[in-house]
Amino acid sequence: MNLSNQQLLDIASKIAKKVGKKLAKQANGKVRTKSIDKHDIKLIEDEESEKLIVNYLWKKTEIPILGEENHQETEFLNGKVWIVDPIDGTVNFSRGIPISSVSIALWENGQPLIGIVYDFNHDILYSGIIGVGAFRNGKRIAVSQNQKKSDSILFTGKPILAQLDDSVIKQWFGYFEEFRKVRMIGSASLSLCFVASGNGDVYAEDHIQLWDFAAGIALVQAAGGKITYEKSNKNKFSYIVKATNGQIQF
């Protein structure tokens, strides 16, 4: 299939909203738990939502898909690939905290191209194509113009692969001193959407999984920001990620 980037974005947006609206009806803390470990939880809703997204994207585009729930054999560095997180902010969702999203990205040759993040709790769709622009419910968004850390908000988090040793704690306290505020909301995709929208200024997180940030960094770049990401040493899909408004040196 020879589909344009806009057509691909429209296809992914449609299924993100369909799945998100279904999840919104369940977003009351009454969920079906598959497994729980020290820092994370897996839900039946994750699996069901991913299956709906994967089946739809494959039927409409025939582009390979890397999903959070089924990713072992997928090659994502060659050609185009969808990267899907059916519920980003699963712990929030499981407890009825309204900070979670459906996240779908399209990458090409290991680089972000398209990002879609649907905040189903508030019916807000973030969408963007790098080189074209980023949008919030159809209205163009842009990163902030803040130039000082002391005027800025940093979004971060503690991914399940990180260890809270002295160096990490020291780094976090350094952030508290440098930035006006530090926010940890439990959803990388929405954190990055807030940077893309100019509500925040910087996002940084170490050892975060690809599907957690793949759509969000596409949106930040599409909105005029600057992104960096490099492989970390935790597993095949873990990265060290930074995204800024392009004005702040970080």
Side-chain angles (χ1 to χ4, degrees), residues 163-212:
Q163 299 296 320
L164 272 181
D165 56 25
D166 290 344
S167 64
V168 172
I169 293 171
K170 184 178 180 180
Q171 181 185 55
W172 277 0
F173 276 101
Y175 292 159
F176 297 155
E177 292 294 325
E178 290 181 303
F179 288 87
R180 173 166 287 173
K181 293 291 182 181
V182 177
R183 296 286 181 252
M184 300 175 65
I185 64 172
S187 170
S189 63
L190 288 176
S191 296
L192 285 157
C193 286
F194 293 144
V195 175
S197 301
N199 304 116
D201 310 281
V202 178
Y203 168 85
E205 196 158 340
D206 294 348
H207 313 304
I208 185 168
Q209 302 286 61
L210 177 63
W211 40 84
D212 291 321

Side-chain angles (χ1 to χ4, degrees), residues 67-246:
E68 179 186 15
E69 302 303 315
N70 185 16
H71 54 260
Q72 286 79 7
E73 301 301 326
T74 305
E75 176 55 60
F76 62 94
L77 295 177
N78 296 320
K80 289 180 178 177
V81 60
W82 293 110
I83 304 173
V84 175
D85 191 346
I87 307 175
D88 180 45
T90 304
V91 173
N92 288 345
F93 179 78
S94 72
R95 296 293 299 273
I97 300 169
I99 305 174
S100 49
S101 73
V102 176
S103 176
I104 303 174
L106 183 68
W107 283 34
E108 186 170 18
N109 299 323
Q111 302 289 323
L113 178 63
I114 291 172
I116 299 98
V117 175
Y118 182 49
D119 176 358
F120 53 80
N121 294 289
H122 303 99
D123 192 25
I124 298 173
L125 180 72
Y126 297 90
S127 61
I129 302 172
I130 291 175
V132 176
F135 302 86
R136 181 181 186 269
N137 282 349
K139 296 182 179 180
R140 186 177 292 272
I141 56 175
V143 296
S144 74
Q145 295 301 306
N146 285 337
Q147 297 181 347
K148 297 179 180 179
K149 292 180 183 177
S150 58
D151 294 331
S152 301
I153 295 174
L154 165 71
F155 285 89
T156 187
K158 181 190 177 297
I160 60 176
L161 298 177
Q163 299 296 320
L164 272 181
D165 56 25
D166 290 344
S167 64
V168 172
I169 293 171
K170 184 178 180 180
Q171 181 185 55
W172 277 0
F173 276 101
Y175 292 159
F176 297 155
E177 292 294 325
E178 290 181 303
F179 288 87
R180 173 166 287 173
K181 293 291 182 181
V182 177
R183 296 286 181 252
M184 300 175 65
I185 64 172
S187 170
S189 63
L190 288 176
S191 296
L192 285 157
C193 286
F194 293 144
V195 175
S197 301
N199 304 116
D201 310 281
V202 178
Y203 168 85
E205 196 158 340
D206 294 348
H207 313 304
I208 185 168
Q209 302 286 61
L210 177 63
W211 40 84
D212 291 321
F213 71 86
I217 62 168
L219 289 164
V220 172
Q221 187 169 336
K226 182 178 180 180
I227 62 173
T228 63
Y229 54 97
E230 61 185 67
K231 288 297 300 294
S232 78
N233 59 2
K234 296 299 182 181
N235 64 39
K236 181 178 179 180
F237 299 107
S238 68
Y239 284 75
I240 296 168
V241 179
K242 293 180 180 178
T244 78
N245 62 4

Side-chain angles (χ1 to χ4, degrees), residues 27-96:
N28 55 11
K30 296 179 180 179
V31 298
R32 293 165 291 163
T33 303
K34 180 181 179 182
S35 64
I36 300 175
D37 63 25
K38 184 177 180 181
H39 296 296
D40 202 12
I41 186 171
K42 293 294 184 182
L43 305 177
I44 300 299
E45 286 79 5
D46 278 302
E47 290 187 340
E48 291 179 347
S49 297
E50 183 169 301
K51 186 177 292 185
L52 288 171
I53 295 168
V54 166
N55 289 343
Y56 186 85
L57 291 178
W58 179 250
K59 179 180 179 181
K60 294 292 185 179
T61 72
E62 297 182 357
I63 293 172
I65 302 161
L66 170 67
E68 179 186 15
E69 302 303 315
N70 185 16
H71 54 260
Q72 286 79 7
E73 301 301 326
T74 305
E75 176 55 60
F76 62 94
L77 295 177
N78 296 320
K80 289 180 178 177
V81 60
W82 293 110
I83 304 173
V84 175
D85 191 346
I87 307 175
D88 180 45
T90 304
V91 173
N92 288 345
F93 179 78
S94 72
R95 296 293 299 273

